[in-house]
Structures are given as C-alpha cells and as structure tokens.
Amino acid sequence: MHPVLVVEDDPDIRATLCEALDDHGYASVGAANGAEALDYLRNAPETPCLILLDLMMPVMDGQTFRNEQRADPRLAEIPVIVISAYRDVEKYATELAADYLAKPVRLDALLDVARRHCDAA
C-alpha cells in the first residue's frame, strides 16, 4: 500500500493525523518540514498516494516544498492537499494543491481525501 505523507511541523498534529490514517487502514509517514519531506520522497521505496502539506513550517515551508516537488518529474504528479489554519487557505490551496483541509482537520474530511486519492492507487 502506498503511504500518505503528512508534512506538518507540529508533532502533535502530525502524530494525530498519522494515527487517524493508520487506524483506518492507510499507511502514513510523517515529516516535520518540506526539506525532510523531499528527502523522504527522493529516497522512498514507493511513491506516496497523497501528500498532506502544512504551509507554515520552519526549515522549508509548504510553498517552497511544492515548488521543489513540481520541479522533479518523478514527484510532480503526487496529489497534494494543503492543511492550514489560515482563514484564506482556499486562496493558497487553489494555487498550490488539489484541495485543502482547514485545521483542525475533521476525521471525515481526512478520510474522504484519503479514499479519493489512495483507494485507487
């Protein structure tokens, strides 16, 4: 099964999202920032079916990560869902990603995006 990559700097949020995915039959991998996520992607044995991406992170933010991901043909087509607490997240999400989830992320919304992007993978 292809994992969901959760890129989130808050360790509690990252752990909660990964646990929710794992509890519902989706494998997950966490990364604390965009640089860690790119390192994982470039060395992973299999490509994730989905990336959940926070925007504001230290080391490498979501925008920079997304630019790097899009520049790599092997990684560019992995669907990205932005997760953010910003009120205007929809504006950023349409430029960066397939969709967005507002924080706090609701379990039903999380599982819906996982089903849409991972069940067919």
Side-chain angles (χ1 to χ4, degrees):
M1 171 181 283
H2 295 270
V4 175
L5 176 58
V6 179
V7 188
E8 165 64 58
D9 63 313
D10 183 303
D12 293 331
I13 294 172
R14 186 173 62 246
T16 298
L17 292 171
C18 286
E19 183 177 322
L21 289 163
D22 293 344
D23 285 352
H24 287 85
Y26 298 96
S28 67
V29 175
N33 58 63
E36 195 175 295
L38 282 174
D39 185 54
Y40 170 79
L41 289 171
R42 290 177 176 146
N43 296 297
E46 60 184 349
T47 306
C49 57
L50 176 65
I51 298 171
L52 300 177
L53 179 66
D54 187 19
L55 293 177
M56 298 299 296
M57 297 176 288
V59 183
M60 180 186 287
D61 66 13
Q63 173 76 54
T64 305
F65 165 83
R66 192 70 170 113
N67 292 341
E68 293 286 324
Q69 180 207 5
R70 286 177 170 158
D72 186 331
R74 196 175 66 81
L75 307 176
E77 298 304 315
I78 303 169
V80 173
I81 305 295
V82 166
I83 53 174
S84 180
Y86 286 113
R87 283 186 315 185
D88 56 352
V89 65
E90 185 175 1
K91 178 183 122 186
Y92 292 105
T94 56
E95 298 169 12
L96 290 177
D99 206 347
Y100 71 95
L101 295 173
K103 290 180 184 176
V105 176
R106 292 185 353 258
L107 180 61
D108 62 327
L110 175 66
L111 296 177
D112 181 57
V113 297
R115 274 191 291 276
R116 281 191 282 134
H117 295 281
C118 298
D119 285 358

